[in-house]
Amino acid sequence: MDIVLGASGHVGGTVARRLLEQGRAVTVVLHRPEQAAEWSARGASMAVLDVHDTPALATAFSEARRAFLLNPPASPSLDVDREERRTVQSILEAVRGASLEKIVVQSTYGAQDNPHCGDLGSLYAFEQGARETGVPLCIVRAAYFMSNWYGTLSTARQSGVFSSLLPKDFKAPMVAPQDVGELAARLLVAPVEETGVYNIEGPEPYTAEDVATALSTVLERDVAVDEIPRQEWPEFYHRNGFCPEAARSYATMTGIFVDGRYERPRMSLRGATDLQTCLRNQASTLSR
């Protein structure tokens, strides 16, 4: 049996669906019981639990052979650096308490040993801890998620403007989360001996201006970018529900990304989904 964390999200949901389509026995780990009906209809088993309940998670893992692992994002109203590492430790302790034959971990470009840089730091800790379990391991490092722009669809539709912390002309590697899930599912079912780090980004890099162009096409109206100056990043995060600690951490993470203070992979796999298609698919989903 395979077990999948994060099935209610874009990446984990794609992993679980692809495994089920192959006729594999799949258990999805869910946080809310109301999410169970959809997955039951698809033929999955469910484990409804809090990932911080390490014994319950270990019990779920003990019934599986392979696991797709991701670290659910902490609420930005909390200190994300502390909370996400707490989640990482619970997941890893549960892995150590099971007898899994292979794990696939979702990570990110720019993962690094830094205690206050949001996902970059917590996912670095996740990678390192996963290696220390000794379980055969694939790490999927994803570029900037195109889904980070999903929240702009409503604003852009209403006002014709969306905010961007990325400079308008900053060209960045981006990837559709579904393409990340496709890769993770393939690696999970691959032979145990197929391990290592796999980097993935989309067909080409994009700027915030490219996002505006894609939104203009998808929404059939003119859309412009409101670039947020660097000195206003912490306040922007704070206005959008981040506590002071989380705002500082995410502002640091954004700076690392924009400044390129991370090692870009020498080789990357390419997802098939372009930015416009990704945004159009999400707009279609929201309109149902």
Side-chain angles (χ1 to χ4, degrees), residues 47-61:
V48 181
L49 53 84
D50 185 332
V51 291
H52 297 115
D53 185 345
T54 308
L57 191 57
T59 297
F61 284 168

Side-chain angles (χ1 to χ4, degrees), residues 2 19 44 107 110-111 141 222 279:
D2 307 320
L19 297 174
S107 187
R141 288 185 186 152
D222 291 338
L279 293 175

